[in-house]
């Protein structure tokens, strides 16, 4: 509405000397990894070549062996990785809407300077 209709915008908060921006996911579709993964598994497409892998995190562990004397310069470090399935959230946005003033790039990437910036203070 600000670019198309000329509506004024207000951002509350932020640093007084910094121009604040307003924006969100403009014209896009957003979801999360677990929703897409559930739909893929429900339709029995998890083994399809285009299906995303499960969301894992890699945990690295280092162990220093105490087989050598404490004052020795020789130490043996053993590193191993442990991959665990993550119970987390990974946001995904696709199909961004293209801009009004610059239709060659998504609106979300363009300038969205607020008309008025109200920093939070004791007077507000």
């Amino acid at each position: 509405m600000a670019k198309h209709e000329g509506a004024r915008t207000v951002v509350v908060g932020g640093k007084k000397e910094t121009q604040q921006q307003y924006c969100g996911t403009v014209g896009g579709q957003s979801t999360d990894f677990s929703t897409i993964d559930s739909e893929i598994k429900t339709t029995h497409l998890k083994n399809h070549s285009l299906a995303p892998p499960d969301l894992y995190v890699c945990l690295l562990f280092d162990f220093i062996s105490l087989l050598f004397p404490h004052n020795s310069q020789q130490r043996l470090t053993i590193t191993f990785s442990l991959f665990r399935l993550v119970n987390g959230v990974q946001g995904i946005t696709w199909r961004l809407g293209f801009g009004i003033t610059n239709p060659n790039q998504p609106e979300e990437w363009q300038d969205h300077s607020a008309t008025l910036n109200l920093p939070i203070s004791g007077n507000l």
Side-chain angles (χ1 to χ4, degrees):
M1 286 180 58
K3 287 187 175 183
H4 191 60
E5 302 290 336
R8 294 177 50 128
T9 58
V10 177
V11 172
V12 178
K15 292 182 176 181
K16 185 177 183 177
E17 65 277 3
T18 302
Q19 175 63 46
Q20 299 299 311
Q21 301 274 326
Y22 69 91
C23 197
T25 305
V26 181
Q29 292 179 303
S30 295
T31 189
D32 57 76
F33 181 86
S34 61
T35 301
I36 290 177
D37 195 51
S38 293
E39 291 180 8
I40 290 170
K41 288 176 180 174
T42 301
T43 56
H44 305 290
L45 293 173
K46 191 63 181 175
N47 291 328
H48 192 280
S49 62
L50 295 177
D54 287 329
L55 190 59
Y56 283 92
V57 65
C58 177
L59 305 171
L60 296 174
F61 295 94
D62 285 339
F63 288 101
I64 298 175
S65 174
L66 299 177
L67 298 175
F68 300 103
H70 186 65
N71 59 358
S72 172
Q73 294 297 321
Q74 294 178 328
R75 293 213 172 198
L76 175 63
T77 302
I78 301 170
T79 303
F80 72 93
S81 301
L82 176 66
F83 291 91
R84 299 204 43 139
L85 194 58
V86 174
N87 183 13
V89 176
Q90 173 66 52
I92 301 169
T93 302
W94 71 99
R95 288 196 219 174
L96 295 176
F98 283 91
I100 293 171
T101 55
N102 180 359
N104 295 322
Q105 68 177 201
E107 181 66 36
E108 191 171 329
W109 298 356
Q110 298 180 29
D111 181 63
H112 296 95
S113 297
T115 308
L116 182 61
N117 179 22
L118 294 176
I120 296 176
S121 67
N123 297 332
L124 186 59

